[in-house]
Amino acid sequence: MSIPRSLLAVIALFSLTLATPLSADELLARADARIPTPGAYSGADIPTISEVVVRKGERRLYLMDGDAVVSSYRISLGDNPEGHKLYEGDERTPEGNYTLDWRNAESDFYKSIHISYPSERDRELASAWGLDPGGSIMIHGLPNDAGDMAFAYAGLDWTDGCIAVTNEEMDEIWELVSNGTPISILP
């Protein structure tokens, strides 16, 4: 596995600072008790997720039960995060309303849930430019071979257009979100 330059910069920066003992989600949960930490659900306490909302500019993914935020996660996006995905290889994360329609426990990343991109409109837009809209846009965890370098992905946009979270967060999303759940990806 080759390590992207942006990850090498984070590794160098990390070596100059002390690591905090709490994850970003744990710190956020302490600051706002309404947002539970990953792994906080068990048994009968499992909430119903009616929608997933992604706010690209905030780098946040929200699991919603109606208007209530059930859980919130820091996300990583494509290397070219601003704007709607236009074609395969542009490294953008799409914007719009889609469905989480299937999942893969054996993907190249730690679990993945497929986003129904491209829509018919996405295909029309790409076709008008003579381009392929691409596909295989997922919510997923870290690369399976991240190993000891997992910490270096935090806070970076490193995917090819997918939405990435930590493996622990992916376990929780995997458990809480059903196939067929709508997802809104906002700028």
Side-chain angles (χ1 to χ4, degrees):
M1 173 180 118
S2 65
I3 300 173
R5 265 185 244 182
S6 55
L7 286 180
L8 291 174
V10 169
I11 294 165
L13 200 88
F14 184 76
S15 66
L16 298 174
T17 63
L18 295 174
T20 60
L22 298 175
S23 73
D25 284 330
E26 290 168 327
L27 290 171
L28 180 61
R30 286 187 178 189
D32 186 348
R34 295 171 298 170
I35 299 175
T37 57
Y41 304 108
S42 62
D45 296 338
I46 296 176
T48 301
I49 304 303
S50 60
E51 180 183 20
V52 174
V53 175
V54 172
R55 295 189 180 278
K56 289 171 55 174
E58 295 175 15
R59 299 301 189 272
R60 302 296 300 174
L61 180 149
Y62 300 94
L63 301 185
M64 307 296 294
D65 181 3
D67 291 334
V69 175
V70 171
S71 201
S72 172
Y73 309 92
R74 171 68 170 87
I75 59 171
S76 296
L77 299 172
D79 284 330
N80 185 20
E82 292 187 28
H84 177 59
K85 183 166 193 62
L86 301 174
Y87 59 90
E88 184 172 24
D90 68 4
E91 296 188 341
R92 290 184 178 172
T93 302
E95 296 172 358
N97 297 314
Y98 300 96
T99 301
L100 298 172
D101 52 3
W102 54 269
R103 54 191 63 218
N104 183 358
E106 303 295 325
S107 74
D108 291 338
F109 300 90
Y110 183 78
K111 297 180 180 174
S112 60
I113 302 175
H114 185 258
I115 297 169
S116 63
Y117 174 88
S119 67
E120 187 58 38
R121 178 76 177 136
D122 296 323
R123 286 184 192 89
E124 290 170 3
L125 289 172
S127 178
W129 288 88
L131 300 169
D132 181 340
S136 295
I137 303 297
M138 316 286 257
I139 299 172
H140 61 68
L142 299 178
N144 289 331
D145 58 358
D148 292 340
M149 299 305 297
F151 75 90
Y153 289 86
L156 297 178
D157 289 326
W158 58 269
T159 75
D160 289 336
C162 293
I163 299 166
V165 295
T166 68
N167 292 352
E168 294 81 10
E169 292 165 339
M170 192 63 214
D171 280 336
E172 184 169 294
I173 294 166
W174 186 270
E175 179 182 346
L176 295 176
V177 176
S178 301
N179 289 352
T181 301
I183 180 171
S184 296
I185 306 171
L186 307 171

